[in-house]
Amino acid sequence: MDERPLPPPDSPELAILPTESHRLLYGYLYLRRDDPPTMREIRAYMTEELGEAPAQTDRRVRDLRDHFDVPAVRSGTEHRYELVGWSKVKKDGSRRGFSNRVRAEVLAPQRCAQCGRRPLEHGVVLVVDHKVPREWGGTDDIDNLQPLCEECNAGKKAFYATYDEYAEEIAAASMHPEPHGRIGELLKAFRGDWAPSSLIGVVASMQQYQEDWQKRLRELRLLGWTISSKRAKDPITGRVNTWYRAEHWEPWPPGSIRAEVARRDPSNKRNKT
Ligand SMILES: [Zn+2]
C-alpha cells in the first residue's frame, strides 16, 4: 500500500502528471478534500479556468486516477469526487495492494476464468482481474476478483475503454440499490444504443451477484418498458451473444421495484382474484 501523504498542489512531485491542466485539476480537488465537488462543479471549474469541454475534463479525472485514488462517492442523486490518497494501482494496471495470500487464493484454480487456458498446458500468464472494474465502483473483495490470462485481461480492458464515454453513467447505474434499477439505468445510459449482455451482467451484479439478471431485464417489460434484443458477436467473449436496447422506458415506481414487478406479474398467483 502506498501511504505517502498527498503532495500539495505546488509540489515538484506533481511532475508525474501529464499536463499543467491535470495539475490545475489536482489543485482544485486537493483544496476541496473536506467538501469534495460533484462532476458538475469540476466541469464548471475547468471550463471557467481553461474553457475546457466536459468530455475533456472527464478524461483528466480518469488520468488522475493513474496516480491518485479519486473515488466517486454517492451523495444524494449525485457523486462527489474525493481526492483520498495515492493510487494503489500501478500504471500498468497491476495492483500494489494485494497481499500474496489474496493473490494465491484468486489464482489457485490455475485457469483463466474466461478462456479456460492453463499456465502449464498453454503457457499463459494469469493475472488478478476485477470482475467489476475498479473505476466503476468494483471493490477489492475476493468475490470481485478472478484469474484471467494476460490476453483476456487486455481484451477486457480494451473493451471497457470503448465505453469510456459512458463511464459516469455506468458508475451511476451501478449504484442503484435494486438489480432492475441497475439494468434499467444502464440501458437508459446507452440512449438507444445496443448494450452487450457481458456489460449488462457486470453492472447488474455490481452490489450483489445476479445469477438470473436476464429475468430481471425481461421483468422491466412488466413496468411498461420496450426492450428489443439481437444476436451479435460479443467482443469480450468472442462468442455470439445477446445485445439489448431500450426503446421506451418509464419512471421507477416510488417504492421497491421488485414489489411493483411482483404486483404486475400475471403469473403471480396472488394477483388472481
Ligand atoms: Zn484467457
Side-chain angles (χ1 to χ4, degrees), residues 108-137:
Q110 285 297 299
R111 183 189 187 106
C112 173
Q114 201 165 289
C115 69
R117 288 187 295 173
R118 295 167 178 279
L120 286 179
E121 277 168 65
H122 309 100
V124 295
V125 175
L126 294 180
V127 297
V128 176
D129 174 66
H130 286 80
K131 292 180 198 167
V132 177
R134 213 161 166 277
E135 307 82 70
W136 298 353

Side-chain angles (χ1 to χ4, degrees), residues 1-2 65-67 87-99 103 107 125-130 134-135 140 145 150 153 157:
M1 286 259 244
D2 194 335
R65 287 175 168 160
D66 284 345
H67 303 281
S87 171
K88 295 166 195 80
V89 185
K90 274 197 230 160
K91 208 149 194 262
D92 63 5
S94 67
R95 306 282 304 172
R96 280 189 202 116
F98 291 131
S99 66
R103 187 175 298 276
L107 301 184
V125 175
L126 294 180
V127 297
V128 176
D129 174 66
H130 286 80
R134 213 161 166 277
E135 307 82 70
D140 287 350
L145 304 175
E150 285 179 323
N153 188 244
K157 282 214 167 69

Side-chain angles (χ1 to χ4, degrees), residues 169-170 172-190 195-197 199-206 208 210-221 225 227 244-246 249 252 257:
E169 287 94 336
I170 291 171
S174 69
M175 301 281 177
H176 202 285
E178 291 194 74
H180 296 98
R182 294 195 287 277
I183 296 167
E185 289 297 322
L186 179 69
L187 292 178
K188 278 160 70 177
F190 273 68
S197 45
L199 180 67
I200 302 172
V202 161
V203 173
S205 297
M206 286 267 186
Q208 191 192 9
Q210 300 296 316
E211 192 160 6
D212 203 4
W213 63 263
Q214 287 92 342
K215 182 152 189 279
R216 305 284 94 78
L217 185 144
R218 288 194 299 273
E219 285 168 347
L220 290 176
R221 294 174 176 137
W225 289 48
I227 297 169
Y244 296 93
R245 177 168 78 178
W249 55 79
W252 298 115
I257 303 175

